Amino acid sequence: MVTRPRLFQFDGAVSREPVNPHNGFYMQDILSVSQFNRENLAYLFDVAEEMRELIRRVGACDLLKGYVMACVFYEPSTRTSSSFIAAMERLGGAVIPITQGVQFSSVAKGESLPDTIKTLEQYSDVIVLRHPEVGAAKIAADVAEVPVINAGDGIGEHPTQALLDLFTIKEELGRIDSLHIAMVGDLRFGRTVHSLTKLLTMYDVRLSFVSPEILRLPLDLMNEVRGKGIPVYETYDVADVIEDVDVLYVTRVQKERFTDLNAYEQVKNYYVITPELMKRAKERMIVMHPLPRVGEIDPAVDQDPRAAYFRQVGNGLYIRMALLAAVLGKA
Ligand code: NCD
């Protein structure tokens, strides 16, 4: 019988032992912002600041070497998918990208979501999922042993966007408590609004909701906000709030969620933030947008130092690096 040398001796291998299993995120599915509290948010923001520093100084590290993230997107994405991929790669991990449209995966052959997830978990340590149906991430999490991160489930939630949004507010304005935040646009279908609103109820803030009648915030969410004792103001007109707000959070009307395209046509250009409008805003305030924008913010506003939306995009990388490191127990 031929003896052969072992393929490898585990030399230089990275330990799978968590360095911090009690960080509140270790091996947790990230499905909704309701699972966070002020304490673990502060921890995550701290790690995110370290990630920013890490990129500035050295660009990348080996923290997640040996780990694989599956990135499965059943809906279009630019920022969420590419920032998750960049986050994993900058931390030394690897990625299975199913982001070019699931038409190139077995989903196109009719495979179910649970079967796709049960397959991908055989190859990966964490699964990032975007799906058009509310609750899809929960369904995936129920069948998967590895943590599932919700990257948007229909009109439901987009928890990692809310994390980077909140982090942006804190970085830009130095605090979250005592701010007046106005959400503008599609408050009915916008999942980023739903998640950020819930997250903000953990702080001492005032919230204004600016939308046309058919795009008002869902009633159950409005009741949840009111139930937490948050002062709330609703209006159709952004001029009603522009002079007082610290954060103007503008959103796209979610065309793909409309069943009646005539209704979409009526509200699509309802709000446009212009340099003229910005003249009435406070000197120290910020304009945010989860992006993509399709006309809600005049590109001329980009020159305004208060336009924070591209800095907000950048923060998505640090937050997702922090989250991946935390979920895998390495932060
Ligand atoms: C948002 C989304 O997908 O919900 N985009 C994002 O993730 N930054 C907002 C949108 O599509 O309008």
Side-chain angles (χ1 to χ4, degrees):
M1 182 171 143
V2 184
T3 57
R4 62 165 183 83
R6 297 285 308 276
L7 290 175
F8 53 86
Q9 304 294 337
F10 301 103
D11 291 348
V14 181
S15 165
R16 306 282 289 191
E17 283 303 304
V19 296
N20 186 5
H22 306 296
N23 63 22
F25 294 90
Y26 178 55
M27 291 305 280
Q28 296 295 308
D29 300 308
I30 307 298
L31 303 180
S32 161
V33 293
S34 308
Q35 68 196 88
F36 305 134
N37 57 47
R38 286 180 67 139
E39 193 190 345
N40 55 36
L41 289 171
Y43 153 83
L44 197 74
F45 292 171
D46 219 46
V47 180
E49 273 166 18
E50 250 186 275
M51 293 300 183
R52 182 207 305 275
E53 191 61 14
L54 175 116
I55 290 193
R56 195 179 67 77
R57 288 206 213 165
V58 290
C61 70
D62 277 348
L63 198 66
L64 295 185
K65 186 177 169 191
Y67 288 85
V68 175
M69 175 189 86
C71 200
V72 203
F73 278 60
Y74 289 75
E75 277 190 342
S77 167
T78 298
R79 278 150 290 270
T80 307
S81 56
S82 51
S83 62
F84 263 115
I85 292 170
M88 197 62 186
E89 296 197 344
R90 293 219 184 232
L91 292 172
V95 179
I96 302 171
I98 307 185
T99 55
Q100 303 306 313
V102 282
Q103 67 265 32
F104 298 114
S105 76
S106 282
V107 168
K109 301 179 186 170
E111 186 166 62
S112 70
L113 177 63
D115 282 6
T116 301
I117 296 298
K118 281 195 271 191
T119 299
L120 289 170
E121 74 167 336
Q122 301 295 321
Y123 310 138
S124 60
D125 303 289
V126 57
I127 297 174
V128 177
L129 175 71
R130 170 170 289 187
H131 196 281
E133 277 158 43
V134 176
K138 170 85 169 73
I139 290 171
D142 285 347
V143 299
E145 305 262 325
V146 302
V148 170
I149 300 179
N150 181 3
D153 61 334
I155 63 166
E157 280 216 39
H158 194 346
T160 67
Q161 178 73 40
L163 291 173
L164 79 90
D165 291 344
L166 195 68
F167 180 66
T168 299
I169 296 172
K170 185 178 160 277
E171 294 291 297
E172 295 276 333
L173 298 173
R175 67 185 200 282
I176 297 159
D177 284 320
S178 79
L179 295 180
H180 177 193
I181 296 139
M183 310 271 185
V184 181
D186 190 345
L187 313 184
R188 177 181 177 192
F189 297 124
R191 56 192 171 198
T192 70
V193 169
H194 301 164
S195 285
L196 182 57
T197 297
K198 282 188 201 176
L199 208 49
L200 285 168
T201 64
M202 296 174 198
Y203 296 83
D204 176 20
V205 293
R206 277 186 299 138
L207 296 179
S208 289
F209 297 102
V210 186
S211 74
E213 177 65 31
I214 63 163
L215 298 180
R216 282 172 69 183
L217 196 77
L219 192 61
D220 56 342
L221 184 50
M222 183 63 89
N223 288 339
E224 188 180 325
V225 175
R226 289 216 163 96
K228 297 252 177 79
I230 305 283
V232 170
Y233 176 68
E234 267 191 295
T235 175
Y236 304 128
D237 194 352
V238 73
D240 288 349
V241 296
I242 190 67
E243 285 163 18
D244 189 60
V245 289
D246 300 298
V247 177
L248 194 69
Y249 189 91
V250 187
T251 62
R252 172 180 72 91
V253 178
Q254 311 275 298
K255 182 179 183 184
E256 67 274 29
R257 312 292 182 206
F258 282 74
T259 44
D260 174 5
L261 276 184
N262 284 328
Y264 168 72
E265 291 297 327
Q266 278 163 31
V267 289
K268 70 174 182 189
N269 294 323
Y270 212 90
Y271 301 108
V272 182
I273 309 304
T274 60
E276 280 63 50
L277 185 75
M278 289 302 292
K279 282 186 191 145
R280 299 172 54 190
K282 290 201 266 195
E283 200 178 318
R284 184 139 197 257
M285 60 83 73
I286 53 170
V287 182
M288 296 175 66
H289 193 308
L291 302 181
R293 64 175 157 186
V294 288
E296 314 80 47
I297 302 180
D298 182 339
V301 175
D302 299 2
Q303 314 307 322
D304 191 315
R306 295 169 294 181
Y309 28 92
F310 288 109
R311 298 192 291 275
Q312 183 184 353
V313 170
N315 287 336
L317 176 63
Y318 315 132
I319 280 290
R320 289 177 175 125
M321 287 173 78
L323 191 64
L324 288 168
V327 165
L328 295 171
K330 297 292 184 181

